[in-house]
Amino acid sequence: MLQYRFDGPEDAPVLVIGPSLGTTWHMWDRQIPELSQHWRIFRYDLPGHGGAPAYPAAAVTDLADRLLATLDSVGVQRFGYAGCSIGGAVGADLALRHPHRVAALALVAASPRFGTADEFRQRGVIVRSNGLEPIARTSPERWFTPGFAAAQPAIVEWAVQMVRTTDPGCYIASCEALAAFDIRTELPRIGVPTLVLVGAEDKVTGPAEARTLVAGIPDARLALVPGASHLAPVEQPAAVTDLLLMHFSTAWQDTLASIPVPPSPGFSAPGFSAPFAPVVPVAEIAAAADLPDASPTGRSDRYDRGMKVRREVLGDAHVDAATAASDPFTDDFQDLLTRYAWGEIWSREGLDRRARSCVSLTAVVASGHLGGLAQHVRAALRNGLTPVEIKEVLLQTAVYCGIPAASAAFEIAQSVIQEETTPPA
């Protein structure tokens, strides 16, 4: 269950609004007076955000399932959905897995893939080592244009406080969820009316990512908001409100008629009417991006599973470098490594990844293969070990593997930990 609140008349159609990572439902405060005249607004907080219970969710599908369970508990079956950033990811997942529940969709500052998995797992390492203060300090430059940040210091400080009051474990879990989120090849299956809304100056999920969404989602429309960065609903509230009003008033779809769904007792589909004139979008641009090709076929399930785990543990950059350097002489070894080490051993359920990292660090030091220690220290940080825990593992190796080996290991690990846990300037 998620923390939530309602605004607006009880007999109106429900519009669900989802927040961005590190924010609370209050990021939508300035849209509520207008939107709640026409819909019953349901806002929710991510786990550990805004004082919500700190039950981490490490997958977007988990967040979507919790949201549906919460909506079910209050009797909401069909709804419109608007979400910002990770909130948009939740909406896209709902449209893919539960299209009969979603009447219309608005994706705000969203992307079919948010940056790279390495970027978000690195952010998790920084939070685990330093807390949320480094993220809070740098949030304004990611969320707002420089002019807005300079002119509205109170709003900037309010935004920073939202991050500071977030539970670190839940923030890290949300980073893991975004690291694993990639629906680029699934976009054509989104069949609900969709508006993609993006700030023209968004450097996090900007117009390029928005164009990819529009290129992939059938009949999606793209609205560009001038003078806005990532948190466009906060920075340009009137423009965003107008766009949402127009979209949901004209695109609200009777999903019961258009998408077959098994009958459910008590399921109703209230109609919708919009007593206001549509507002013209601020700007629209045509789709131009192509969808990526589907993943290569012909690989075994063990290989695919192994490559997924290998990338999650070692990072895309390391795996890409290893595979790029491979040639016909080493291809078979890379295949063996992926299938056996990562597709079998690292994929077993008997130990979690933290425990496997402890074993791997010890084995590398004991065998004297210190050339591979740096990548395993990075992997340990990504797998949830803290620098203090890595130190304890190396102290243990000093007793059982010898002081010289441990001394060299400490030197390597110290350098990697400093590099990986130092917040960006």
Side-chain angles (χ1 to χ4, degrees):
M1 299 287 286
L2 298 176
Q3 178 170 283
Y4 68 92
R5 66 171 291 170
F6 276 110
D7 295 280
E10 293 187 3
D11 59 347
V14 173
L15 176 59
V16 178
I17 299 184
S20 175
L21 175 60
T23 73
T24 73
W25 63 42
H26 290 295
M27 68 161 283
W28 294 99
D29 278 354
R30 297 179 73 182
Q31 279 71 48
I32 300 305
E34 287 285 339
L35 296 183
S36 63
Q37 292 183 37
H38 311 285
W39 297 280
R40 190 181 188 202
I41 306 300
F42 176 102
R43 285 184 283 174
Y44 68 92
D45 278 327
L46 298 170
H49 291 58
Y55 299 114
V60 169
T61 53
D62 188 4
L63 288 170
D65 289 344
R66 294 189 195 185
L67 174 58
L68 279 186
T70 307
L71 291 169
D72 289 343
S73 72
V74 294
V76 174
Q77 289 291 325
R78 191 171 73 99
F79 50 86
Y81 186 96
C84 182
S85 192
I86 192 173
V90 170
D93 181 77
L94 290 173
L96 285 167
R97 295 194 297 127
H98 304 278
H100 58 284
R101 302 289 294 269
V102 183
L105 178 66
L107 304 177
V108 180
S111 177
R113 185 189 187 197
F114 290 79
T116 67
D118 287 352
E119 291 171 3
F120 280 99
R121 293 196 172 102
Q122 172 70 15
R123 192 186 297 186
V125 168
I126 289 173
V127 173
R128 193 176 290 113
S129 303
N130 302 277
L132 278 165
E133 185 57 30
I135 304 299
R137 287 200 311 267
T138 57
S139 290
E141 64 191 58
R142 292 193 303 272
W143 287 353
F144 305 120
T145 60
F148 181 87
Q152 300 288 347
I155 293 179
V156 169
E157 179 57 27
W158 161 79
V160 168
Q161 285 300 117
M162 282 195 294
V163 181
R164 285 186 177 132
T165 57
T166 298
D167 176 78
C170 289
Y171 189 95
I172 292 169
S174 295
C175 288
E176 290 291 328
L178 288 174
F181 183 78
D182 187 351
I183 59 168
R184 288 174 293 173
T185 61
E186 299 180 68
L187 294 177
R189 293 199 299 108
I190 296 180
V192 302
T194 302
L195 171 70
V196 178
L197 191 157
V198 62
E201 299 182 50
D202 190 345
K203 301 298 191 294
V204 180
T205 51
E209 288 80 3
R211 288 167 70 88
T212 301
L213 287 169
V214 171
I217 300 173
D219 300 321
R221 298 169 58 242
L222 177 55
L224 189 71
V225 180
S229 186
H230 193 57
L231 288 194
V234 176
E235 194 163 6
Q236 294 292 343
V240 170
T241 301
D242 287 348
L243 287 163
L244 293 179
L245 284 169
M246 184 195 70
H247 175 64
F248 286 108
S249 67
T250 58
W252 196 277
Q253 178 176 291
D254 183 356
T255 52
L256 288 180
S258 61
I259 301 176
V261 56
S264 174
F267 192 102
S268 61
F272 173 77
S273 60
F276 53 85
V279 180
V280 178
V282 177
E284 289 194 20
I285 49 181
D290 294 326
L291 285 176
D293 293 333
S295 57
T297 58
R299 294 286 194 179
S300 68
D301 290 343
R302 188 182 305 164
Y303 179 92
D304 292 340
R305 179 174 66 245
M307 182 57 73
K308 179 177 182 293
V309 174
R310 188 179 180 186
R311 287 185 178 279
E312 289 174 353
V313 174
L314 298 180
D316 288 334
H318 176 86
V319 177
D320 288 343
T323 54
S326 185
D327 58 24
F329 183 75
T330 60
D331 281 347
D332 288 342
F333 174 72
Q334 287 294 323
D335 183 76
L336 173 69
L337 184 65
T338 301
R339 286 187 294 105
Y340 180 65
W342 298 102
E344 286 200 15
I345 302 304
W346 272 87
S347 297
R348 292 175 64 86
E349 297 181 356
L351 295 174
D352 63 19
R353 291 185 185 175
R354 285 170 47 87
R356 293 189 186 279
S357 276
C358 290
V359 173
S360 299
L361 290 172
T362 304
V364 168
V365 175
S367 64
H369 297 148
L370 296 180
L373 181 63
Q375 74 183 53
H376 281 286
V377 173
R378 290 190 180 91
L381 291 168
R382 293 164 64 94
N383 285 340
L385 290 179
T386 65
V388 171
E389 290 170 326
I390 293 173
K391 177 183 71 174
E392 292 300 325
V393 171
L394 296 183
L395 285 172
Q396 191 82 2
T397 65
V399 174
Y400 291 97
C401 304
I403 297 296
S407 177
F410 264 102
E411 184 177 347
I412 294 170
Q414 181 184 41
S415 175
V416 171
I417 289 171
Q418 288 177 346
E419 176 185 342
E420 294 293 313
T421 64
T422 300

